[in-house]
mmCIF file of all heavy atoms in Angstrom:
data_model
loop_
_atom_site.group_PDB
_atom_site.id
_atom_site.type_symbol
_atom_site.label_atom_id
_atom_site.label_comp_id
_atom_site.label_asym_id
_atom_site.label_seq_id
_atom_site.Cartn_x
_atom_site.Cartn_y
_atom_site.Cartn_z
ATOM 1 N N LEU A 271 -21.969 13.586 -5.766
ATOM 2 C CA LEU A 271 -21.701 14.474 -6.888
ATOM 3 C C LEU A 271 -22.995 14.950 -7.541
ATOM 4 O O LEU A 271 -23.004 15.770 -8.442
ATOM 5 C CB LEU A 271 -20.834 13.774 -7.929
ATOM 6 C CG LEU A 271 -19.344 13.674 -7.646
ATOM 7 C CD1 LEU A 271 -18.672 12.718 -8.606
ATOM 8 C CD2 LEU A 271 -18.696 15.059 -7.691
ATOM 9 N N GLY A 272 -24.132 14.381 -7.084
ATOM 10 C CA GLY A 272 -25.399 14.810 -7.623
ATOM 11 C C GLY A 272 -25.815 14.054 -8.887
ATOM 12 O O GLY A 272 -26.585 14.573 -9.705
ATOM 13 N N MET A 273 -25.303 12.843 -9.021
ATOM 14 C CA MET A 273 -25.638 12.082 -10.230
ATOM 15 C C MET A 273 -27.052 11.517 -10.107
ATOM 16 O O MET A 273 -27.514 11.176 -9.010
ATOM 17 C CB MET A 273 -24.637 10.923 -10.344
ATOM 18 C CG MET A 273 -24.282 10.562 -11.731
ATOM 19 S SD MET A 273 -22.967 9.334 -11.719
ATOM 20 C CE MET A 273 -21.587 10.348 -11.282
ATOM 21 N N SER A 274 -27.742 11.402 -11.244
ATOM 22 C CA SER A 274 -29.087 10.847 -11.206
ATOM 23 C C SER A 274 -29.052 9.366 -10.998
ATOM 24 O O SER A 274 -28.051 8.699 -11.256
ATOM 25 C CB SER A 274 -29.813 11.172 -12.499
ATOM 26 O OG SER A 274 -29.236 10.422 -13.565
ATOM 27 N N ARG A 275 -30.180 8.809 -10.505
ATOM 28 C CA ARG A 275 -30.237 7.373 -10.198
ATOM 29 C C ARG A 275 -29.968 6.527 -11.447
ATOM 30 O O ARG A 275 -29.229 5.527 -11.385
ATOM 31 C CB ARG A 275 -31.608 7.017 -9.685
ATOM 32 C CG ARG A 275 -31.782 7.351 -8.246
ATOM 33 C CD ARG A 275 -33.125 6.891 -7.796
ATOM 34 N NE ARG A 275 -33.302 7.208 -6.396
ATOM 35 C CZ ARG A 275 -34.263 6.686 -5.655
ATOM 36 N NH1 ARG A 275 -35.118 5.824 -6.174
ATOM 37 N NH2 ARG A 275 -34.390 7.009 -4.410
ATOM 38 N N THR A 276 -30.583 6.924 -12.563
ATOM 39 C CA THR A 276 -30.409 6.134 -13.785
ATOM 40 C C THR A 276 -28.931 6.092 -14.155
ATOM 41 O O THR A 276 -28.414 5.042 -14.501
ATOM 42 C CB THR A 276 -31.182 6.826 -14.927
ATOM 43 O OG1 THR A 276 -32.311 7.466 -14.380
ATOM 44 C CG2 THR A 276 -31.598 5.830 -15.971
ATOM 45 N N ARG A 277 -28.316 7.250 -14.082
ATOM 46 C CA ARG A 277 -26.897 7.301 -14.460
ATOM 47 C C ARG A 277 -26.062 6.467 -13.500
ATOM 48 O O ARG A 277 -25.118 5.799 -13.955
ATOM 49 C CB ARG A 277 -26.447 8.773 -14.418
ATOM 50 C CG ARG A 277 -25.236 8.999 -15.256
ATOM 51 C CD ARG A 277 -24.751 10.438 -15.087
ATOM 52 N NE ARG A 277 -23.366 10.512 -15.546
ATOM 53 C CZ ARG A 277 -23.007 11.050 -16.701
ATOM 54 N NH1 ARG A 277 -23.904 11.602 -17.479
ATOM 55 N NH2 ARG A 277 -21.738 11.092 -17.037
ATOM 56 N N ILE A 278 -26.392 6.494 -12.251
ATOM 57 C CA ILE A 278 -25.642 5.664 -11.278
ATOM 58 C C ILE A 278 -25.787 4.191 -11.625
ATOM 59 O O ILE A 278 -24.799 3.455 -11.668
ATOM 60 C CB ILE A 278 -26.115 5.956 -9.856
ATOM 61 C CG1 ILE A 278 -25.662 7.335 -9.405
ATOM 62 C CG2 ILE A 278 -25.561 4.885 -8.899
ATOM 63 C CD1 ILE A 278 -26.175 7.746 -8.052
ATOM 64 N N ILE A 279 -27.003 3.774 -11.915
ATOM 65 C CA ILE A 279 -27.218 2.353 -12.235
ATOM 66 C C ILE A 279 -26.439 1.984 -13.498
ATOM 67 O O ILE A 279 -25.747 0.977 -13.558
ATOM 68 C CB ILE A 279 -28.730 2.050 -12.434
ATOM 69 C CG1 ILE A 279 -29.454 2.251 -11.106
ATOM 70 C CG2 ILE A 279 -28.952 0.641 -12.920
ATOM 71 C CD1 ILE A 279 -30.908 1.961 -11.147
ATOM 72 N N VAL A 280 -26.588 2.824 -14.542
ATOM 73 C CA VAL A 280 -25.987 2.480 -15.831
ATOM 74 C C VAL A 280 -24.481 2.572 -15.808
ATOM 75 O O VAL A 280 -23.776 1.730 -16.345
ATOM 76 C CB VAL A 280 -26.594 3.377 -16.923
ATOM 77 C CG1 VAL A 280 -25.847 3.190 -18.249
ATOM 78 C CG2 VAL A 280 -28.053 3.077 -17.110
ATOM 79 N N ARG A 281 -23.970 3.627 -15.151
ATOM 80 C CA ARG A 281 -22.503 3.833 -15.212
ATOM 81 C C ARG A 281 -21.734 3.103 -14.098
ATOM 82 O O ARG A 281 -20.599 2.720 -14.301
ATOM 83 C CB ARG A 281 -22.185 5.334 -15.030
ATOM 84 C CG ARG A 281 -22.422 6.153 -16.268
ATOM 85 C CD ARG A 281 -21.198 6.254 -17.149
ATOM 86 N NE ARG A 281 -20.142 7.061 -16.605
ATOM 87 C CZ ARG A 281 -19.014 7.290 -17.282
ATOM 88 N NH1 ARG A 281 -18.858 6.781 -18.482
ATOM 89 N NH2 ARG A 281 -18.074 8.032 -16.765
ATOM 90 N N HIS A 282 -22.360 2.980 -12.929
ATOM 91 C CA HIS A 282 -21.599 2.493 -11.804
ATOM 92 C C HIS A 282 -22.035 1.110 -11.310
ATOM 93 O O HIS A 282 -21.197 0.324 -10.888
ATOM 94 C CB HIS A 282 -21.628 3.482 -10.658
ATOM 95 C CG HIS A 282 -20.917 4.770 -10.988
ATOM 96 N ND1 HIS A 282 -19.570 4.894 -10.895
ATOM 97 C CD2 HIS A 282 -21.400 5.937 -11.457
ATOM 98 C CE1 HIS A 282 -19.222 6.141 -11.267
ATOM 99 N NE2 HIS A 282 -20.322 6.768 -11.627
ATOM 100 N N VAL A 283 -23.314 0.840 -11.329
ATOM 101 C CA VAL A 283 -23.780 -0.425 -10.723
ATOM 102 C C VAL A 283 -23.693 -1.569 -11.749
ATOM 103 O O VAL A 283 -22.985 -2.554 -11.525
ATOM 104 C CB VAL A 283 -25.199 -0.303 -10.185
ATOM 105 C CG1 VAL A 283 -25.645 -1.622 -9.613
ATOM 106 C CG2 VAL A 283 -25.245 0.771 -9.082
ATOM 107 N N LEU A 284 -24.378 -1.426 -12.856
ATOM 108 C CA LEU A 284 -24.430 -2.557 -13.815
ATOM 109 C C LEU A 284 -23.046 -2.953 -14.366
ATOM 110 O O LEU A 284 -22.771 -4.152 -14.446
ATOM 111 C CB LEU A 284 -25.401 -2.253 -14.935
ATOM 112 C CG LEU A 284 -26.885 -2.282 -14.513
ATOM 113 C CD1 LEU A 284 -27.796 -2.078 -15.689
ATOM 114 C CD2 LEU A 284 -27.222 -3.621 -13.813
ATOM 115 N N PRO A 285 -22.190 -2.015 -14.761
ATOM 116 C CA PRO A 285 -20.883 -2.458 -15.321
ATOM 117 C C PRO A 285 -20.131 -3.325 -14.318
ATOM 118 O O PRO A 285 -19.357 -4.159 -14.722
ATOM 119 C CB PRO A 285 -20.155 -1.148 -15.558
ATOM 120 C CG PRO A 285 -21.206 -0.163 -15.781
ATOM 121 C CD PRO A 285 -22.326 -0.546 -14.858
ATOM 122 N N ASN A 286 -20.357 -3.135 -13.044
ATOM 123 C CA ASN A 286 -19.596 -3.919 -12.074
ATOM 124 C C ASN A 286 -20.192 -5.304 -11.861
ATOM 125 O O ASN A 286 -19.627 -6.107 -11.141
ATOM 126 C CB ASN A 286 -19.494 -3.160 -10.744
ATOM 127 C CG ASN A 286 -18.402 -2.114 -10.826
ATOM 128 O OD1 ASN A 286 -17.237 -2.425 -10.915
ATOM 129 N ND2 ASN A 286 -18.809 -0.864 -10.896
ATOM 130 N N THR A 287 -21.351 -5.591 -12.473
ATOM 131 C CA THR A 287 -21.867 -6.956 -12.437
ATOM 132 C C THR A 287 -21.466 -7.678 -13.710
ATOM 133 O O THR A 287 -21.716 -8.870 -13.862
ATOM 134 C CB THR A 287 -23.397 -6.981 -12.335
ATOM 135 O OG1 THR A 287 -23.957 -6.428 -13.538
ATOM 136 C CG2 THR A 287 -23.916 -6.204 -11.153
ATOM 137 N N LEU A 288 -20.812 -6.956 -14.605
ATOM 138 C CA LEU A 288 -20.539 -7.483 -15.959
ATOM 139 C C LEU A 288 -19.739 -8.776 -15.960
ATOM 140 O O LEU A 288 -20.109 -9.744 -16.647
ATOM 141 C CB LEU A 288 -19.821 -6.417 -16.789
ATOM 142 C CG LEU A 288 -19.833 -6.680 -18.269
ATOM 143 C CD1 LEU A 288 -21.250 -6.544 -18.825
ATOM 144 C CD2 LEU A 288 -18.905 -5.711 -18.987
ATOM 145 N N SER A 289 -18.651 -8.808 -15.183
ATOM 146 C CA SER A 289 -17.836 -10.036 -15.239
ATOM 147 C C SER A 289 -18.669 -11.223 -14.819
ATOM 148 O O SER A 289 -18.587 -12.296 -15.414
ATOM 149 C CB SER A 289 -16.581 -9.922 -14.380
ATOM 150 O OG SER A 289 -16.580 -8.774 -13.602
ATOM 151 N N PHE A 290 -19.456 -11.024 -13.758
ATOM 152 C CA PHE A 290 -20.290 -12.146 -13.325
ATOM 153 C C PHE A 290 -21.275 -12.549 -14.418
ATOM 154 O O PHE A 290 -21.461 -13.739 -14.700
ATOM 155 C CB PHE A 290 -21.075 -11.785 -12.049
ATOM 156 C CG PHE A 290 -22.156 -12.773 -11.766
ATOM 157 C CD1 PHE A 290 -21.855 -13.987 -11.175
ATOM 158 C CD2 PHE A 290 -23.468 -12.506 -12.131
ATOM 159 C CE1 PHE A 290 -22.845 -14.918 -10.959
ATOM 160 C CE2 PHE A 290 -24.445 -13.410 -11.906
ATOM 161 C CZ PHE A 290 -24.137 -14.630 -11.320
#
Side-chain angles (χ1 to χ4, degrees):
Chain A
L271 281 169
M273 213 174 286
S274 69
R275 280 183 180 195
T276 329
R277 202 185 161 105
I278 289 176
I279 295 182
V280 172
R281 283 269 290 182
H282 294 278
V283 178
L284 288 184
N286 281 292
T287 65
L288 196 68
S289 8
F290 166 79

